[in-house]
């Protein structure tokens, strides 16, 4: 009855006439096991299934049933970065990506489109350098989804990264740097001295250990802050 009334006339063993609408048996038989299991488990109602069949939308229904919630995968991705990136960078990535994919709220893969990502990035009202970090974080998440075969294509590859902002050309004379260093307490004194002595970033300095120092050459070997791994030798001014 769910597929509409049908009336069969004729003698036993011989069908002469059929009126009404009968279901397409081939379409029903070709349904994925996911749909059948969803009906059996009560996750999909028969009226919804029949409406999809009547509207010739079984393929769309199958796609909706196969859709993936990306929200919990954000934490899986961040966990995979542990040990590879500094905790500060991982936390920044969490903040950046969660502006589009909120925690504890469904965000389906079908909504993860180029248009949605481009609109999201365009609405980030921050400096150009910060917007580039948003772009890098989301690109990394998409690469993770691509590696797990949740995405067939990395949509962030089509989203143009914001232009790099102009460098900040502000310097302190060495005498002023020494006054700043001596006015601070530890461990801030050492951090500021290393920053001014090597010209490397704060986020990198925080992750430095003794093994990064090269006392013989008077420098520091530090990782870069870009998405691609970079190891650089930063000479240290002896005066610092």
């Amino acid at each position: 009855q769910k597929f509409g009334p049908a009336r069969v006339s004729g003698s036993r063993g011989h069908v002469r006439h059929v009126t009404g609408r009968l279901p397409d048996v081939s379409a029903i038989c070709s349904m994925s096991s996911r749909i059948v299991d969803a009906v059996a488990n009560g996750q999909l109602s028969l009226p919804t299934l029949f409406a999809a069949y009547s509207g010739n939308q079984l393929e769309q229904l199958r796609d909706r049933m196969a859709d993936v919630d990306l929200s919990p995968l954000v934490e899986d991705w961040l966990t995979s970065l542990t040990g590879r990136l500094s905790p500060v960078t991982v936390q920044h990535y969490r903040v950046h990506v969660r502006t589009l994919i909120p925690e504890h709220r469904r965000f389906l893969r079908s909504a993860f489109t180029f248009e949605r990502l481009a609109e999201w990035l365009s609405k980030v009202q921050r400096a150009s350098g910060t917007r580039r970090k948003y772009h890098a974080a989301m690109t990394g998440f998409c690469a993770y989804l691509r590696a797990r075969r949740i995405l067939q294509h990395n949509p962030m590859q089509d989203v143009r990264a914001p232009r790099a902002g102009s460098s900040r050309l502000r310097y302190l004379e060495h005498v002023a740097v020494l006054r700043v260093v001596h006015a601070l307490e530890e461990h801030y004194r050492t951090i500021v001295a290393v920053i001014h002595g090597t010209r490397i970033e704060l986020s990198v300095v925080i992750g430095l250990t003794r093994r990064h120092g090269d006392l013989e050459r008077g420098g520091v070997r530090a990782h870069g802050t870009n998405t691609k791994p970079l190891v650089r030798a930063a000479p240290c001014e002896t005066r610092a």
Side-chain angles (χ1 to χ4, degrees):
Q1 295 178 354
K2 289 290 184 182
F3 295 97
R7 184 175 302 170
V8 181
S9 61
S11 58
R12 180 178 298 179
H14 299 278
V15 178
R16 291 200 305 266
H17 185 64
V18 178
T19 60
R21 183 176 55 178
L22 290 174
D24 184 351
V25 177
S26 62
I28 299 300
C29 293
S30 65
M31 286 184 189
S32 66
S33 60
R34 184 186 297 271
I35 293 180
V36 176
D37 292 341
V39 173
N41 296 332
Q43 299 176 347
L44 178 65
S45 65
L46 284 175
T48 301
L49 175 59
F50 177 64
Y53 165 77
S54 301
N56 195 25
Q57 295 180 346
L58 287 178
E59 289 292 336
Q60 292 86 336
L61 176 62
R62 186 181 296 109
D63 292 340
R64 291 199 303 270
M65 296 297 298
D67 216 341
V68 179
D69 182 11
L70 300 183
S71 184
L73 296 179
V74 174
E75 296 303 319
D76 294 344
W77 166 61
L78 294 171
T79 300
S80 71
L81 299 178
T82 303
R84 297 163 50 194
L85 298 177
S86 70
V88 175
T89 301
V90 173
Q91 179 58 25
H92 286 168
Y93 279 7
R94 174 181 286 107
V95 172
H96 298 338
V97 173
R98 285 301 186 189
T99 57
L100 176 66
I101 308 175
E103 193 172 7
H104 306 309
R105 189 185 304 174
R106 285 173 61 82
F107 190 98
L108 298 180
R109 175 179 56 185
S110 57
F112 202 60
T113 61
F114 161 77
E115 292 78 11
R116 185 74 176 273
L117 289 167
E119 180 185 14
W120 161 75
L121 187 61
S122 67
K123 292 182 178 180
V124 176
Q125 301 299 320
R126 305 293 295 273
S128 178
T130 302
R131 295 180 65 240
R132 288 175 63 86
K133 294 179 180 179
Y134 275 74
H135 184 279
M138 191 62 74
T139 300
F141 179 54
C142 289
Y144 171 79
L145 297 177
R146 179 72 176 84
R148 289 189 54 176
R149 298 184 179 181
I150 295 172
L151 294 179
Q152 298 299 320
H153 170 69
N154 187 338
M156 284 300 294
Q157 292 180 346
D158 300 323
V159 180
R160 180 177 300 179
R163 292 183 178 181
S166 57
S167 301
R168 288 173 288 186
L169 302 177
R170 182 180 179 184
Y171 302 97
L172 293 177
E173 296 294 335
H174 185 69
V175 175
V177 171
L178 292 180
R179 286 203 302 266
V180 172
V181 170
H182 291 310
L184 297 173
E185 298 179 356
E186 291 293 357
H187 298 287
Y188 301 106
R189 176 181 295 175
T190 300
I191 292 175
V192 172
V194 172
I195 289 175
H196 285 284
T198 61
R199 301 187 296 275
I200 58 180
E201 299 84 353
L202 173 61
S203 59
V204 178
V205 172
I206 293 175
L208 294 179
T209 61
R210 289 182 181 273
R211 64 183 179 86
H212 293 97
D214 189 345
L215 297 180
E216 294 183 359
R217 298 182 180 179
V220 175
R221 293 187 61 82
H223 289 272
T225 57
N226 297 324
T227 54
K228 296 182 179 179
L230 171 66
V231 179
R232 53 191 169 169
C236 182
E237 295 184 21
T238 56
R239 296 180 299 174

